[in-house]
Amino acid sequence: MKKLIKISAFILACFLLANCSNTRFLKPGQNLYTGAEVKINPDSSSKIANEKQVKNTLEDKTRPRPNKSILGLKPKLYIYNLAGEPKKPKGFRNWLRNKVGEPPVLMSEVKLKYNSDVLKSYLISQGYLQADVTGDTVIKRRRGKAIYTALTGTRYKINEITFPPDTGDLTHNINQNKGKTLLKRGDFYDLDTYKNERIRIDNDLKESGYFYFSPEHLILQVDSTIGNHLVNINVRIKTIAPDAALKPYTVRNINIYPSYSLRRDSILRRLKPLKYNDFNIYDNRNTYKPRVFDRLVFFKKGERYNRKDHNQSLNRMVNLGAFQDVRAEFLPIDSFKNNQLDLNIYLTPLKKNSLTFSVTGTQKSNNFIGSELKITQTTRNIFRGAEQLDISASGGFETQYSGQAKGINSYSLTGEAKLTLPRFIVPFYKPRSTNAFTPKTIVSLGYQLLSRDTVYKLNSFKAQYGYNWKENQFKEHNFFPASINLVTSNKDTTDVAYKRLIKQNPGLQYTLEDQFIIGSTYSFTYTNQMQEKRRHNLYFFGGLETSGNVWGLFMRKGSNGDRRLFNIPLTQFVRVETDLRSYYKLNPGVIWANRLNLGYGYAYGGSSSLPFVRQFFAGGTNDIRAFRARSLGPGTYHVQNNSAGFADQGGDVKMMLNSELRFKLVSILHGAAFVDAGNIWLRKGDPDRPGSAFKLKNSFDELAVGTGVGLRVDATIFVIRLDGAFPIRKPYLPKGQRWVIDDIDFGSKGWRRDNLVLNIGIGYPF
């Protein structure tokens, strides 16, 4: 303990020395700027609403910003000073000074008058119409700060709102929608609200055909002379607004160029168009069937222009994934004498065929390394309906490079064909989708061969038919009413290696039985992670899968209670899973990420537990990182010497919680500190695996807990991750001994060998 105290004191002294010594690098007459302080009505006893928030906002608007600090210390500035002036334009010292370090921010850079005007302008925009701000500086021991004194006065409120008299179509539209106004009597004066009100009116007019109207054509006159700190707001159309902005436009011709390129521009324009419904299609190559555009273009000939149809048409064409360039052009026939627009749509298709290769490398926490090669042939517009056919083949291998079973190998061969059609195809029904996202019907066929050394081989045949669609940019649905999966295995039950594997993994025997999985799947995903400006982002996934529910009604039970198809057992189960993730930005460089992952499977009929390919697993690089892949559970059961073979412990129930603090270090290098907790269980206990049964009252006492730190190279387009973790709670130990914090000993080689787990991964764990 004394040694730890001395080390801590030494580190603290070093930081204090670094902080104090920053000023000694300054030139004569220079003073280090330490920040701004705003005082609001310091000589008045009256307080304004949300004074602390207003104070923080004002201080944040001052410039320049002081040097970055951590707990009051400025390590980046100290590194800059410590590096000194580089003698070469490149090299370590240059990198340390200019990339890692940060130059001093000086008092001479502070512009008091400019900052005072900025703060005053902001206060006025928030309704403090009589506000005034003055600035001064305080310098002590070569450190200085700026002091701004804000006298706000009373905040003004809205008394009355008036809109233009109803004298025509445009003003009638404004008055018809004034119930949606953002300006409310009794609300505080707020300049941002006034700007948004102009945008709201413009959006309403765009929906009614006013193509050339703009928010700039509106003026909100504010009268603050009525007294009692109240204002009247008068919404008016500027007298200088052009005539084209004051009348609605209708669509005359809709011209579509499905195979457009600049090289073919003049040729296409001379073609005689194919007339289909309201469209003129210029395409001598017959690239797409005309009915494709019924689902892409929402405008109709002779109707008024509206922004909703404009945006939805563009979004549909972009989200279809068939075009490399999409452009919509509205041309007036004669803006002075006419109120009609011609719509020209230029579409440049993607290449019909493309070939992609991918190579991935893996390193698992159970001492397996491997690689996979995948090749995919993509054929677009195969039936002239903007369809896409993907045919892929992949092969991968893994080998165990250390442990008692060093040299154990496995490999997989996979083939898949997937056809995506950009519409709903439902028997006896024609659903319509009118939002910005194109619904998809997906048909897929696949086969996989998985070989585990010379012990066994699994053959998996899979066919699916279903739908993918989006409600909006946040919500996505996947529904596969027909999903068929046939799993067969090749094994020699008399083989010594097979017997040893089953002894080590008793639950694996059921896994290797032939089985049919016939049912339906549905999943829902919600995410707002694309809104990067939000401070709090969420991700939610919910999935439901059933098997054997309908088919089981038409099959007779076997002698052991199971149902069979072609003499192969039909598995019957219901499986649900949910995954909730939260990403909270503590500041621009620090994110607190959390995940809650729950799963439950109910097997019935002749099935005692979920089939292996549908079970839950715990441990590994994206899971509970302090435990090796698939080695945890079920329950308090523990595979002895799991490095000697394939752990592969699956379960019917899963509970997992992850918490990770992510922070930026230097450039693209990020760090993380994390805690993972969770486990899996069997719904029905397995006599060969004592402690494997799920009991709600015991579940929290049977959770594994691990912690660790990690490094990430985040280059935006890819993330490489290295995590080091170790357990602090082991559920398979006797009660009262499961917390192992006191056993941590980084100096012990034996402890590191048995507890320290390194994970290499691509992408973030969640």
Side-chain angles (χ1 to χ4, degrees):
M1 180 61 74
K2 290 182 179 179
K3 186 177 180 180
L4 182 62
I5 293 174
K6 289 181 180 179
I7 293 173
S8 301
F10 175 75
I11 293 173
L12 179 61
C14 290
F15 270 108
L16 291 174
L17 178 63
N19 197 42
C20 295
S21 61
N22 280 323
T23 55
R24 71 184 178 89
F25 293 96
L26 298 175
K27 296 178 181 179
Q30 290 183 335
N31 297 294
L32 186 66
Y33 176 61
T34 59
E37 180 184 351
V38 174
K39 297 180 180 180
I40 300 177
N41 303 323
D43 299 326
S44 173
S45 59
S46 60
K47 299 289 185 180
I48 65 172
N50 301 319
E51 182 173 315
K52 186 176 181 180
Q53 181 180 345
V54 174
K55 181 179 184 298
N56 291 337
T57 301
L58 292 174
E59 290 176 350
D60 190 57
K61 289 183 176 293
T62 60
R63 294 294 183 273
R65 297 185 184 276
N67 291 105
K68 296 181 179 66
S69 63
I70 301 174
L71 300 176
L73 308 177
K74 303 180 185 300
K76 292 177 74 70
L77 174 59
Y78 183 71
I79 291 172
Y80 176 89
N81 291 326
L82 191 66
E85 189 67 37
K87 296 180 180 179
K88 299 178 181 179
K90 295 182 179 180
F92 175 75
R93 175 174 286 190
N94 190 289
W95 173 83
L96 187 66
R97 181 179 174 92
N98 298 312
K99 295 296 183 181
V100 181
E102 183 181 67
V105 180
L106 304 175
M107 283 296 299
S108 58
E109 301 175 39
V110 179
K111 310 299 181 185
L112 290 177
K113 180 65 169 60
Y114 172 81
N115 283 330
S116 297
D117 290 343
V118 169
L119 302 189
K120 180 179 177 179
S121 176
Y122 173 77
L123 288 171
I124 291 174
S125 75
Q126 296 301 298
Y128 299 100
L129 302 185
Q130 298 176 340
D132 190 30
V133 180
T134 57
D136 201 356
T137 59
V138 175
I139 298 175
K140 188 176 181 180
R141 291 197 296 270
R142 306 196 70 181
R143 299 174 181 275
K145 66 178 181 178
I147 307 292
Y148 299 94
T149 303
L151 305 177
T152 62
T154 304
R155 194 176 185 184
Y156 281 64
K157 293 183 178 181
I158 298 174
N159 177 59
E160 186 179 37
I161 309 103
T162 58
F163 289 88
D166 192 346
T167 57
D169 186 84
L170 186 147
T171 52
H172 175 73
N173 184 284
I174 293 176
N175 280 276
Q176 192 177 32
N177 292 292
K178 67 181 181 181
K180 299 187 294 184
T181 180
L182 305 176
L183 306 173
K184 307 295 182 183
R185 186 174 182 178
D187 283 359
F188 287 116
Y189 176 107
D190 189 335
L191 186 60
D192 288 337
T193 304
Y194 301 163
K195 293 178 181 178
N196 291 332
E197 174 67 4
R198 295 200 307 172
I199 294 172
R200 181 198 66 81
I201 294 173
D202 175 64
N203 286 336
D204 288 338
L205 292 173
K206 286 291 194 298
E207 293 302 319
S208 298
Y210 290 87
F211 181 78
Y212 289 105
F213 197 84
S214 166
E216 302 301 321
H217 299 145
L218 289 167
I219 184 171
L220 275 67
Q221 299 169 333
V222 179
D223 182 5
S224 61
T225 64
I226 61 176
N228 296 324
H229 301 101
L230 297 172
V231 297
N232 287 337
I233 300 175
N234 190 13
V235 182
R236 289 289 180 266
I237 299 169
K238 292 181 180 179
T239 56
I240 59 173
D243 291 339
L246 304 179
K247 60 183 180 181
Y249 283 78
T250 58
V251 177
R252 187 183 71 165
N253 294 319
I254 303 174
N255 305 314
I256 302 175
Y257 299 85
S259 58
Y260 180 80
S261 67
L262 287 175
R263 182 175 53 83
R264 303 184 66 229
D265 181 84
S266 57
I267 298 174
L268 292 171
R269 292 181 188 277
R270 291 197 300 266
L271 292 176
K272 182 179 180 180
L274 169 67
K275 295 186 178 295
Y276 174 78
N277 292 341
D278 291 334
F279 309 140
N280 300 320
I281 302 174
Y282 293 81
D283 184 19
N284 58 346
R285 297 177 176 177
N286 296 319
T287 310
Y288 297 95
K289 295 176 182 177
R291 67 182 184 187
V292 169
F293 303 106
D294 283 335
R295 300 187 296 271
L296 299 180
V297 182
F298 289 84
F299 284 105
K300 300 297 180 184
K301 196 171 182 178
E303 72 175 10
R304 279 191 180 188
Y305 166 87
N306 70 85
R307 179 175 280 173
K308 181 180 178 181
D309 285 349
H310 187 171
N311 290 338
Q312 287 190 341
S313 298
L314 283 176
N315 285 335
R316 279 242 166 162
M317 289 182 279
V318 170
N319 293 325
L320 186 64
F323 308 111
Q324 66 179 11
D325 185 59
V326 173
R327 184 160 56 95
E329 177 184 65
F330 289 88
L331 296 176
I333 306 306
D334 189 324
S335 59
F336 295 101
K337 300 178 181 179
N338 205 313
N339 62 343
Q340 290 183 313
L341 299 168
D342 275 350
L343 169 57
N344 296 326
I345 299 175
Y346 303 100
L347 304 172
T348 304
L350 289 165
K351 291 183 178 180
K352 188 175 182 66
N353 294 286
S354 63
L355 196 65
T356 58
F357 293 88
S358 65
V359 180
T360 59
T362 60
Q363 187 275 336
K364 295 184 178 180
S365 56
N366 56 357
N367 298 326
F368 272 88
I369 60 171
S371 181
E372 182 182 61
L373 172 66
K374 184 175 182 179
I375 179 172
T376 302
Q377 162 68 36
T378 299
T379 304
R380 299 178 181 87
N381 198 33
I382 189 169
F383 303 122
R384 295 179 50 235
E387 306 88 357
Q388 180 170 309
L389 176 64
D390 295 297
I391 299 177
S392 63
S394 62
F397 77 92
E398 287 183 343
T399 182
Q400 192 159 8
Y401 63 88
S402 66
Q404 297 179 23
K406 181 179 179 181
I408 288 183
N409 302 310
S410 67
Y411 68 86
S412 65
L413 299 173
T414 305
E416 184 182 25
K418 183 175 74 171
L419 177 64
T420 304
L421 302 101
R423 58 190 179 277
F424 281 128
I425 300 179
V426 183
F428 315 112
Y429 178 63
K430 289 186 177 181
R432 290 186 59 83
S433 175
T434 58
N435 67 11
F437 298 91
T438 305
K440 299 174 182 177
T441 299
I442 301 171
V443 183
S444 66
L445 294 171
Y447 166 76
Q448 183 180 51
L449 168 64
L450 175 64
S451 173
R452 287 294 178 91
D453 204 54
T454 58
V455 181
Y456 68 85
K457 293 181 180 179
L458 283 179
N459 299 280
S460 176
F461 304 87
K462 190 172 185 179
Q464 284 188 314
Y465 181 92
Y467 312 99
N468 167 271
W469 73 97
K470 285 189 174 183
E471 286 185 52
N472 49 49
Q473 62 175 329
F474 308 110
K475 302 176 183 178
E476 182 175 358
H477 303 261
N478 285 280
F479 175 49
F480 287 86
S483 178
I484 303 173
N485 192 188
L486 170 62
V487 181
T488 64
S489 65
N490 300 327
K491 56 186 182 295
D492 182 0
T493 57
T494 63
D495 184 68
V496 175
Y498 175 80
K499 291 180 178 180
R500 183 172 60 250
L501 182 63
I502 295 302
K503 184 178 180 180
Q504 294 170 348
N505 300 271
L508 195 61
Q509 187 169 6
Y510 172 70
T511 299
L512 300 178
E513 293 180 356
D514 296 351
Q515 50 195 305
F516 256 120
I517 303 172
I518 305 177
S520 304
T521 65
Y522 168 77
S523 67
F524 168 76
T525 304
Y526 170 86
T527 180
N528 58 17
Q529 290 176 273
M530 71 288 294
Q531 296 180 315
E532 296 182 358
K533 293 184 179 180
R534 290 179 65 99
R535 187 166 189 179
H536 188 200
N537 293 102
L538 290 173
Y539 169 90
F540 172 79
F541 169 84
L544 170 67
E545 181 177 7
T546 64
S547 174
N549 306 71
V550 176
W551 281 80
L553 299 175
F554 302 97
M555 300 178 190
R556 290 184 299 178
K557 288 186 178 181
S559 57
N560 59 351
D562 63 349
R563 300 179 186 273
R564 291 178 173 264
L565 178 64
F566 305 121
N567 203 33
I568 298 176
L570 175 67
T571 58
Q572 295 180 284
F573 65 86
V574 176
R575 182 185 188 273
V576 294
E577 183 178 10
T578 182
D579 189 344
L580 176 63
R581 306 176 187 181
S582 167
Y583 305 91
Y584 188 78
K585 297 180 180 69
L586 299 176
N587 63 49
V590 181
I591 297 175
W592 187 24
N594 293 279
R595 173 174 63 176
L596 175 65
N597 182 205
L598 303 174
Y600 186 83
Y602 179 84
Y604 60 96
S607 304
S608 59
S609 65
L610 293 178
F612 181 74
V613 291
R614 297 294 190 273
Q615 284 187 328
F616 303 103
F617 302 92
T621 186
N622 295 322
D623 204 282
I624 306 170
R625 285 162 279 186
F627 296 85
R628 305 191 186 281
R630 298 189 174 191
S631 66
L632 260 178
T636 60
Y637 177 75
H638 181 52
V639 179
Q640 298 296 326
N641 300 321
N642 58 63
S643 64
F646 303 102
D648 278 354
Q649 295 303 304
D652 305 319
V653 183
K654 182 174 184 178
M655 183 187 303
M656 183 176 66
L657 176 65
N658 306 85
S659 186
E660 182 169 285
L661 191 67
R662 301 170 181 171
F663 45 88
K664 185 174 182 178
L665 295 174
V666 178
S667 184
I668 62 174
L669 185 63
H670 296 245
F674 55 84
V675 176
D676 305 320
N679 206 342
I680 58 168
W681 295 265
L682 294 176
R683 192 177 65 85
K684 295 180 180 179
D686 183 351
D688 294 324
R689 289 182 283 178
S692 60
F694 176 73
K695 295 180 181 178
L696 184 60
K697 64 180 181 180
N698 298 332
S699 57
F700 288 98
D701 190 44
E702 296 176 355
L703 292 180
V705 182
T707 187
V709 294
L711 291 175
R712 289 94 167 86
V713 178
D714 188 345
T716 305
I717 59 174
F718 69 88
V719 176
I720 299 175
R721 172 168 51 92
L722 173 64
D723 289 327
F726 56 91
I728 58 175
R729 194 173 196 277
K730 300 178 179 179
Y732 46 81
L733 295 179
K735 283 189 176 183
Q737 302 177 28
R738 291 173 180 171
W739 288 103
V740 292
I741 299 176
D742 293 338
D743 298 336
I744 297 173
D745 185 3
F746 290 102
S748 168
K749 184 177 180 180
W751 181 90
R752 294 197 305 270
R753 182 190 63 245
D754 296 335
N755 294 275
L756 196 59
V757 178
L758 297 179
N759 295 283
I760 299 175
I762 304 296
Y764 285 98
F766 59 92

